[in-house]
Amino acid sequence: MTTATLTKAPAGRSALVLRRFVRNRSALAGAVALVLLFLLAFAGPYLTPWSYDHIDYGALRSAPSAQHWWGTNRIGQDVFAQTVRGLQKSLVIGLLVAVLATGLAALAGACAGYFGGWTDRLAMFFVDLLLVFPSFLVIAIISPRLRSAGWIAFVGLLAVFAWMITARVVRSMTLSLKERDFVRAARYMGVGPFRIIWRHVLPNVASFLIIDATIQVGGAVMSETALSYFGFGVQPPDVSLGTLIASGTGAALTYPWMFFFAAGLLVVFVLAVNLVGDGLRDALDPTAKGAAR
C-alpha cells in the first residue's frame, strides 16, 4: 500500500474537543492559570521554611522581604504560607463540592427523567423545596453546630444546596433522550433501567455535566469564601481564602499585603474557572460561536 492510498483516520471526539479548546486562547489562558494556582497551592508550602501556623514574634506586620516574601500579619504569621494554605483549602473544598453536587444532580435528574411518574414528582418536589430555602441562611445556622465534624461537614452542607438547578436540566435532557432509538432498543432487549441510565443516558449528558462541574468549582469557592468571611466556614487555626480576606480587610489600606494577595488569588481563580467553562462549552458544542471561530 502506497502513501498516496493511505487515508487519514477521522479524529475522535476527544481529539476534536481538545483541538477546539486549545484554539481558544482565553480558555487556554484560563487553564494555564488554574494549573499554576494548583501548583502554587500544593507545592507552595514546600518552598517556604515557614508553616502557616508558625508565629515570628520578631516580625509583626512586617512588609514583604527576603525573610518573609509576602510579609507577615498582625501576630507575625507568614502571609505567603498562610495564603498558599488558604488557597489549598479553598481549592479542595471547591473540587469536592463540585464533584458531589454534580454527581448528585446527575443521579437525581436522570432517575427523575427516566422513570417519570411518582419518582419524577417526588424528586422535583424535593428540588423545588430546597430551592425555596435561603441556602446561605440555612448553612449559616447549621454550620456552627457541625464545627466538631470539621470542614468535611461544611463540604457536605455546600453540596446539598448546589445541585438542584443542574438536576432540573439533566431531567429535561433525560426526558428527550429516553425516547431516542438506542434507549428504546436497550429497553426492548431487557437491559435494566439503571444500566441504561449509566451506559446510555449519562454519557449523552456528560458534556453538560463537565461544564457544570467546572463552573461549580468557582461557585463553591466563592460560597466558601463568603461563609468563611462571616465566620461560618473554615474555623481557626486552619485558614482559607475567606478567613484570610476577612482578617485582612481592616488593614487593606495600611498593610495591603495582608489583604490583596488572598483577594487577588481569589479573583484570578474565579476568572480562570469562568474562562475554562466558556472554553469547554464552545469546544463541546460545535455550533457555538466560539467553536466556529
PDB file of all heavy atoms in Angstrom, residues 30-49:
ATOM      1  N   GLY A  30      -6.928  30.519  30.741  1.00  0.00           N
ATOM      2  CA  GLY A  30      -7.578  30.142  31.989  1.00  0.00           C
ATOM      3  C   GLY A  30      -7.088  28.807  32.506  1.00  0.00           C
ATOM      4  O   GLY A  30      -6.866  28.638  33.713  1.00  0.00           O
ATOM      5  N   ALA A  31      -6.888  27.832  31.599  1.00  0.00           N
ATOM      6  CA  ALA A  31      -6.390  26.528  32.015  1.00  0.00           C
ATOM      7  C   ALA A  31      -4.971  26.623  32.572  1.00  0.00           C
ATOM      8  O   ALA A  31      -4.639  25.991  33.588  1.00  0.00           O
ATOM      9  CB  ALA A  31      -6.426  25.556  30.836  1.00  0.00           C
ATOM     10  N   VAL A  32      -4.127  27.425  31.911  1.00  0.00           N
ATOM     11  CA  VAL A  32      -2.759  27.617  32.405  1.00  0.00           C
ATOM     12  C   VAL A  32      -2.778  28.272  33.782  1.00  0.00           C
ATOM     13  O   VAL A  32      -2.023  27.880  34.691  1.00  0.00           O
ATOM     14  CB  VAL A  32      -1.943  28.458  31.405  1.00  0.00           C
ATOM     15  CG1 VAL A  32      -0.596  28.851  32.003  1.00  0.00           C
ATOM     16  CG2 VAL A  32      -1.736  27.685  30.107  1.00  0.00           C
ATOM     17  N   ALA A  33      -3.654  29.271  33.953  1.00  0.00           N
ATOM     18  CA  ALA A  33      -3.755  29.939  35.252  1.00  0.00           C
ATOM     19  C   ALA A  33      -4.203  28.969  36.339  1.00  0.00           C
ATOM     20  O   ALA A  33      -3.686  28.996  37.464  1.00  0.00           O
ATOM     21  CB  ALA A  33      -4.726  31.115  35.161  1.00  0.00           C
ATOM     22  N   LEU A  34      -5.148  28.081  36.015  1.00  0.00           N
ATOM     23  CA  LEU A  34      -5.604  27.098  37.002  1.00  0.00           C
ATOM     24  C   LEU A  34      -4.484  26.134  37.386  1.00  0.00           C
ATOM     25  O   LEU A  34      -4.317  25.803  38.562  1.00  0.00           O
ATOM     26  CB  LEU A  34      -6.793  26.312  36.444  1.00  0.00           C
ATOM     27  CG  LEU A  34      -8.151  27.003  36.444  1.00  0.00           C
ATOM     28  CD1 LEU A  34      -9.209  26.086  35.867  1.00  0.00           C
ATOM     29  CD2 LEU A  34      -8.543  27.431  37.842  1.00  0.00           C
ATOM     30  N   VAL A  35      -3.724  25.682  36.397  1.00  0.00           N
ATOM     31  CA  VAL A  35      -2.614  24.778  36.689  1.00  0.00           C
ATOM     32  C   VAL A  35      -1.594  25.463  37.594  1.00  0.00           C
ATOM     33  O   VAL A  35      -1.097  24.871  38.570  1.00  0.00           O
ATOM     34  CB  VAL A  35      -1.945  24.311  35.376  1.00  0.00           C
ATOM     35  CG1 VAL A  35      -0.653  23.558  35.671  1.00  0.00           C
ATOM     36  CG2 VAL A  35      -2.898  23.420  34.596  1.00  0.00           C
ATOM     37  N   LEU A  36      -1.289  26.730  37.301  1.00  0.00           N
ATOM     38  CA  LEU A  36      -0.326  27.465  38.122  1.00  0.00           C
ATOM     39  C   LEU A  36      -0.853  27.665  39.540  1.00  0.00           C
ATOM     40  O   LEU A  36      -0.091  27.578  40.518  1.00  0.00           O
ATOM     41  CB  LEU A  36      -0.008  28.811  37.473  1.00  0.00           C
ATOM     42  CG  LEU A  36       0.764  28.751  36.153  1.00  0.00           C
ATOM     43  CD1 LEU A  36       0.944  30.156  35.570  1.00  0.00           C
ATOM     44  CD2 LEU A  36       2.120  28.073  36.339  1.00  0.00           C
ATOM     45  N   LEU A  37      -2.156  27.916  39.669  1.00  0.00           N
ATOM     46  CA  LEU A  37      -2.736  28.094  41.000  1.00  0.00           C
ATOM     47  C   LEU A  37      -2.677  26.790  41.801  1.00  0.00           C
ATOM     48  O   LEU A  37      -2.381  26.800  43.007  1.00  0.00           O
ATOM     49  CB  LEU A  37      -4.182  28.582  40.882  1.00  0.00           C
ATOM     50  CG  LEU A  37      -4.369  30.047  40.482  1.00  0.00           C
ATOM     51  CD1 LEU A  37      -5.846  30.341  40.249  1.00  0.00           C
ATOM     52  CD2 LEU A  37      -3.813  30.976  41.551  1.00  0.00           C
ATOM     53  N   PHE A  38      -2.950  25.666  41.144  1.00  0.00           N
ATOM     54  CA  PHE A  38      -2.866  24.388  41.844  1.00  0.00           C
ATOM     55  C   PHE A  38      -1.431  24.078  42.233  1.00  0.00           C
ATOM     56  O   PHE A  38      -1.171  23.555  43.326  1.00  0.00           O
ATOM     57  CB  PHE A  38      -3.439  23.278  40.962  1.00  0.00           C
ATOM     58  CG  PHE A  38      -4.920  23.099  41.109  1.00  0.00           C
ATOM     59  CD1 PHE A  38      -5.815  23.775  40.294  1.00  0.00           C
ATOM     60  CD2 PHE A  38      -5.436  22.269  42.094  1.00  0.00           C
ATOM     61  CE1 PHE A  38      -7.182  23.616  40.430  1.00  0.00           C
ATOM     62  CE2 PHE A  38      -6.802  22.101  42.257  1.00  0.00           C
ATOM     63  CZ  PHE A  38      -7.677  22.781  41.418  1.00  0.00           C
ATOM     64  N   LEU A  39      -0.479  24.401  41.369  1.00  0.00           N
ATOM     65  CA  LEU A  39       0.922  24.201  41.711  1.00  0.00           C
ATOM     66  C   LEU A  39       1.319  25.063  42.899  1.00  0.00           C
ATOM     67  O   LEU A  39       2.020  24.612  43.814  1.00  0.00           O
ATOM     68  CB  LEU A  39       1.806  24.523  40.501  1.00  0.00           C
ATOM     69  CG  LEU A  39       1.815  23.492  39.370  1.00  0.00           C
ATOM     70  CD1 LEU A  39       2.649  24.001  38.208  1.00  0.00           C
ATOM     71  CD2 LEU A  39       2.348  22.151  39.856  1.00  0.00           C
ATOM     72  N   LEU A  40       0.858  26.312  42.882  1.00  0.00           N
ATOM     73  CA  LEU A  40       1.159  27.206  43.999  1.00  0.00           C
ATOM     74  C   LEU A  40       0.546  26.690  45.296  1.00  0.00           C
ATOM     75  O   LEU A  40       1.187  26.731  46.360  1.00  0.00           O
ATOM     76  CB  LEU A  40       0.639  28.613  43.690  1.00  0.00           C
ATOM     77  CG  LEU A  40       0.797  29.664  44.803  1.00  0.00           C
ATOM     78  CD1 LEU A  40       2.267  29.919  45.098  1.00  0.00           C
ATOM     79  CD2 LEU A  40       0.090  30.965  44.413  1.00  0.00           C
ATOM     80  N   ALA A  41      -0.685  26.193  45.209  1.00  0.00           N
ATOM     81  CA  ALA A  41      -1.384  25.746  46.418  1.00  0.00           C
ATOM     82  C   ALA A  41      -0.732  24.513  47.034  1.00  0.00           C
ATOM     83  O   ALA A  41      -0.610  24.422  48.261  1.00  0.00           O
ATOM     84  CB  ALA A  41      -2.851  25.470  46.093  1.00  0.00           C
ATOM     85  N   PHE A  42      -0.308  23.562  46.198  1.00  0.00           N
ATOM     86  CA  PHE A  42       0.162  22.289  46.733  1.00  0.00           C
ATOM     87  C   PHE A  42       1.680  22.170  46.776  1.00  0.00           C
ATOM     88  O   PHE A  42       2.212  21.349  47.522  1.00  0.00           O
ATOM     89  CB  PHE A  42      -0.428  21.139  45.914  1.00  0.00           C
ATOM     90  CG  PHE A  42      -1.916  21.002  46.092  1.00  0.00           C
ATOM     91  CD1 PHE A  42      -2.803  21.584  45.194  1.00  0.00           C
ATOM     92  CD2 PHE A  42      -2.433  20.320  47.178  1.00  0.00           C
ATOM     93  CE1 PHE A  42      -4.182  21.471  45.364  1.00  0.00           C
ATOM     94  CE2 PHE A  42      -3.801  20.210  47.369  1.00  0.00           C
ATOM     95  CZ  PHE A  42      -4.673  20.786  46.457  1.00  0.00           C
ATOM     96  N   ALA A  43       2.391  22.994  46.005  1.00  0.00           N
ATOM     97  CA  ALA A  43       3.852  22.989  46.077  1.00  0.00           C
ATOM     98  C   ALA A  43       4.375  24.158  46.898  1.00  0.00           C
ATOM     99  O   ALA A  43       5.511  24.103  47.394  1.00  0.00           O
ATOM    100  CB  ALA A  43       4.460  23.030  44.671  1.00  0.00           C
ATOM    101  N   GLY A  44       3.553  25.198  47.056  1.00  0.00           N
ATOM    102  CA  GLY A  44       3.980  26.385  47.791  1.00  0.00           C
ATOM    103  C   GLY A  44       4.436  26.125  49.214  1.00  0.00           C
ATOM    104  O   GLY A  44       5.458  26.682  49.648  1.00  0.00           O
ATOM    105  N   PRO A  45       3.720  25.283  49.985  1.00  0.00           N
ATOM    106  CA  PRO A  45       4.167  25.033  51.367  1.00  0.00           C
ATOM    107  C   PRO A  45       5.572  24.445  51.466  1.00  0.00           C
ATOM    108  O   PRO A  45       6.223  24.583  52.506  1.00  0.00           O
ATOM    109  CB  PRO A  45       3.114  24.047  51.896  1.00  0.00           C
ATOM    110  CG  PRO A  45       1.892  24.331  51.092  1.00  0.00           C
ATOM    111  CD  PRO A  45       2.395  24.695  49.732  1.00  0.00           C
ATOM    112  N   TYR A  46       6.037  23.784  50.398  1.00  0.00           N
ATOM    113  CA  TYR A  46       7.382  23.205  50.432  1.00  0.00           C
ATOM    114  C   TYR A  46       8.458  24.201  49.991  1.00  0.00           C
ATOM    115  O   TYR A  46       9.648  23.902  50.086  1.00  0.00           O
ATOM    116  CB  TYR A  46       7.437  21.978  49.516  1.00  0.00           C
ATOM    117  CG  TYR A  46       6.468  20.891  49.920  1.00  0.00           C
ATOM    118  CD1 TYR A  46       5.254  20.735  49.254  1.00  0.00           C
ATOM    119  CD2 TYR A  46       6.756  20.032  50.976  1.00  0.00           C
ATOM    120  CE1 TYR A  46       4.359  19.754  49.635  1.00  0.00           C
ATOM    121  CE2 TYR A  46       5.866  19.034  51.354  1.00  0.00           C
ATOM    122  CZ  TYR A  46       4.664  18.906  50.683  1.00  0.00           C
ATOM    123  OH  TYR A  46       3.767  17.927  51.068  1.00  0.00           O
ATOM    124  N   LEU A  47       8.037  25.377  49.524  1.00  0.00           N
ATOM    125  CA  LEU A  47       9.004  26.373  49.058  1.00  0.00           C
ATOM    126  C   LEU A  47       9.428  27.342  50.150  1.00  0.00           C
ATOM    127  O   LEU A  47      10.385  28.092  49.967  1.00  0.00           O
ATOM    128  CB  LEU A  47       8.409  27.165  47.877  1.00  0.00           C
ATOM    129  CG  LEU A  47       7.993  26.355  46.649  1.00  0.00           C
ATOM    130  CD1 LEU A  47       7.349  27.273  45.611  1.00  0.00           C
ATOM    131  CD2 LEU A  47       9.178  25.610  46.066  1.00  0.00           C
ATOM    132  N   THR A  48       8.696  27.358  51.233  1.00  0.00           N
ATOM    133  CA  THR A  48       8.988  28.307  52.307  1.00  0.00           C
ATOM    134  C   THR A  48       9.319  27.558  53.598  1.00  0.00           C
ATOM    135  O   THR A  48       8.722  26.507  53.876  1.00  0.00           O
ATOM    136  CB  THR A  48       7.791  29.248  52.542  1.00  0.00           C
ATOM    137  OG1 THR A  48       8.058  30.095  53.671  1.00  0.00           O
ATOM    138  CG2 THR A  48       6.517  28.476  52.800  1.00  0.00           C
ATOM    139  N   PRO A  49      10.236  28.094  54.384  1.00  0.00           N
ATOM    140  CA  PRO A  49      10.547  27.432  55.668  1.00  0.00           C
ATOM    141  C   PRO A  49       9.495  27.676  56.735  1.00  0.00           C
ATOM    142  O   PRO A  49       9.545  27.069  57.802  1.00  0.00           O
ATOM    143  CB  PRO A  49      11.885  28.065  56.063  1.00  0.00           C
ATOM    144  CG  PRO A  49      11.871  29.409  55.411  1.00  0.00           C
ATOM    145  CD  PRO A  49      11.131  29.235  54.116  1.00  0.00           C
TER     146      PRO A  49
END
